[in-house]
Structure formats: C-alpha cells, structure tokens
Amino acid sequence: MARLSQTKPPPDAEARRAATPVAVYDVHRLPAYDKAFFDNARADMTRIGETIVPPREGRAFDVPAGRFFRIVSVEGPQVGDLNLWNAANLAERFFSGKTRALHATHVSTGDRLWSTFPYLRPMATITHDTLDWYGFDAEGAGVHDVIGTRCDPYTNRLLAGADYHHCCHSNLARALSARLKLPLDAAEPHVHDVLNVFMSTGFTRDEHRYFMKASPVRPGDFIEFFAEIDLIGALSACPGGDCSASHSSDAATCHPLKVEVYRPRPETLRDWRSPPVNAYAGERGE
Ligand SMILES: [Zn+2]
C-alpha cells in the first residue's frame, strides 16, 4: 500500500530534510559491557536445566539470577519468540520498545534486555551470539529483532479472516498459564512484545514496511543470556518456522528449540549483585 501524499512540498523541503540525525539517547553513562567478568563466568559452567520447546508450541522456564541461559537451534532453522518476567513480580516484564530505543532494532552480545516502568533495569544481558557475524545485510535486515511484536490470532483474524490457535501470542499465553497454574484468560494479559530470536527482519527501503526473510540460523547456533534478576521466561517456536514465507498457519516447516540453563562457578560471581530497580523516585520522592 503506497502512502497517500496529497501535499505539495514547501520550497525549503530539501533543507528541512537535510537536518543532521542525532542519537536519541546518549548511552555512554550506561555501565559498559563487562567482557572480562562475563568471559570469566562463562568459561566454566555446569548445565543445570534443559527445556525442549516443540514446534508451534510454547514452554516456560525458570532462570535464577546469576545463571546463564541459551536458546539453541536444533534439527533445523527455527525462529523463537521470547518473553521475560521478574519471577517475583509479573508487572516487571521485558520492554521491547525501550530496549530498541536504547540499543538498536536488532540486539546481540553486550546488549541488555530492559524491563518496563517503573523498574527499567536490565533483566538479562546478551553474553554470546553465534549469529553476530550476520550484521545488517544488503536489504537492511538483521537478526534477533525487537521491532516486531509476535504473531497473534487477532491480527490473523483481521487479515486472513480465519482462526489459528498456535500463533506465538497464544503459545506464550498457554506456556505462562501452565507455569503459574493460572487460567488462560488470566495469563494472556501478561504476554508482551517479544525478542524475535533468530528471526531475520528489517524495513523495506521504499516504504519502511516490516519484512522478514529466511533466518540464517542453523542447528547448533545459539544466543546466550545472563539473568540479572530471577526470571520466568517463555519461548514459542513460531509457526512461521524459519519465517521465509508465512506464519500464523500450519504451512511452514517447523522445528523445536531448546533452552539450556547454566550455572557458573560461584566464585566468579563473588562481587556481582542484581541491578537495583530504577533510581527515579518520581513524585513520591519530592
Ligand atoms: Zn510467531
């Protein structure tokens, strides 16, 4: 759909367009990624948990603060949709929009997954990404986006006029419902915009429309996170499979995903503490 343009450009249109872009956020005050700390902690880890997420399904998993977790490609190219909650407080959950604004449209090693207001702190830090070689391709696509939301039955109903019950939104809702023993309609409102793990996406050059293309992920690839606080995670193995053609249906070939949880040696975390919630005291603090 081309954008309607009914207005004649003003005489100084080009001058207005020539304004210099400025980064919206100056992130230099954020603590730098502590590569030495993470390299030391992840050098000798013990696997303490494993969850298989079946194709077109979701599963929840727990990661205590100070542990690592990996989302691993197994069997074939597959995209995953990730949600994160503070295990002690579901109101604190992953904030995809602010993560995008602070870091970029796609995230990789060194980036943090931030939580919602009024907490706004790192929930997890990305510590390894075997797809970090991909960068941004000729079409502007990158991997692991925080620009999409998640495939869902409502948009599908709107656009396809059909009902499909294995969209990532529904898979995540069922996974959280099972983990917390909550009725499905009580769990669903906690589902939020995701990190699209392994998904290759971008915006078209001409109209800036959201596009996807075949994920470059292959079995053995993984993205690894350090849990900064006690987490409940949920992961959906997207019905779009590698998201090369379609989603929200049974058309695509799908594969499972694996979540692995690792414990580093305790002495590597001796001086480490969970980040406190955001220091802004708001109007309460006046
Ligand atoms: Zn999906």
Side-chain angles (χ1 to χ4, degrees), residues 159-172:
L159 301 180
D163 289 334
Y164 184 68
H165 306 301
H166 288 270
C167 290
C168 290
H169 175 82
S170 309
N171 296 342
L172 293 168

Side-chain angles (χ1 to χ4, degrees), residues 85 172-178 180 182-191:
W85 297 268
L172 293 168
R174 277 195 300 272
L176 187 67
S177 158
L180 296 176
L182 276 176
L184 194 54
D185 60 355
E188 185 182 353
H190 296 292
V191 175

